[in-house]
Amino acid sequence: MTYVDGFVAAVPTANREQYQHHAQIAAQVFKEHGALKVVECWGDDVPEGKLTSFPMAVQRTPEETVVFSWILWPSKSVRDAAHQKVMSDPRLAPETNPMPYDGKRLIFGGFEMILDQ
């Protein structure tokens, strides 16, 4: 059964091009290790909430944009096997390809896909 890793982050709006470059390199690495698809979405209509919201979840500041991303894997086992390889890939090392956002405010999770129409 396909498996999805989902991510939400707050990225400085001024770093959009840097983020896109970082994401393109990361997508290549993920796909080399078995990902079927990598999707990056730049926030366009992401309202503030009163109780919960994407901006609140990542503590977005006025100078930042919410990014929503996901990686589609053929299975959780493929994702699990790829994880260490992806994290140790030198193309994603902070010295080579620094994250253009505060990774401490990144939220993420793995999800079993139960509907895909």
Side-chain angles (χ1 to χ4, degrees):
M1 165 101 20
T2 50
Y3 197 77
V4 176
D5 280 328
F7 309 88
V8 180
V11 178
T13 303
N15 289 357
R16 181 176 175 153
E17 286 184 30
Q18 287 174 279
Y19 181 82
Q20 197 164 359
H21 176 75
H22 176 83
Q24 287 172 336
I25 292 170
Q28 181 180 1
V29 173
F30 283 114
K31 290 182 88 176
E32 285 176 14
H33 293 291
L36 299 172
K37 187 174 192 172
V38 178
V39 178
E40 296 283 348
C41 304
W42 191 260
D44 179 54
D45 184 13
V46 186
E48 293 286 341
K50 292 186 180 186
L51 294 177
T52 63
S53 68
F54 283 121
M56 292 170 74
V58 295
Q59 301 174 355
R60 184 188 62 85
T61 68
E63 299 82 27
E64 295 175 320
T65 298
V66 174
V67 172
F68 175 58
S69 311
W70 68 91
I71 303 170
L72 181 65
W73 298 95
S75 67
K76 186 174 191 270
S77 62
V78 170
R79 181 269 229 155
D80 290 348
H83 183 75
Q84 188 60 39
K85 295 173 189 170
V86 168
M87 293 301 118
S88 63
D89 192 294
R91 291 170 289 179
L92 298 182
E95 307 79 37
T96 308
N97 189 12
M99 290 191 304
Y101 61 94
D102 181 2
K104 293 176 187 165
R105 292 185 288 141
L106 171 76
I107 61 172
F108 60 92
F111 302 86
E112 179 183 338
M113 192 179 294
I114 61 170
L115 179 67
D116 182 15
Q117 293 187 1

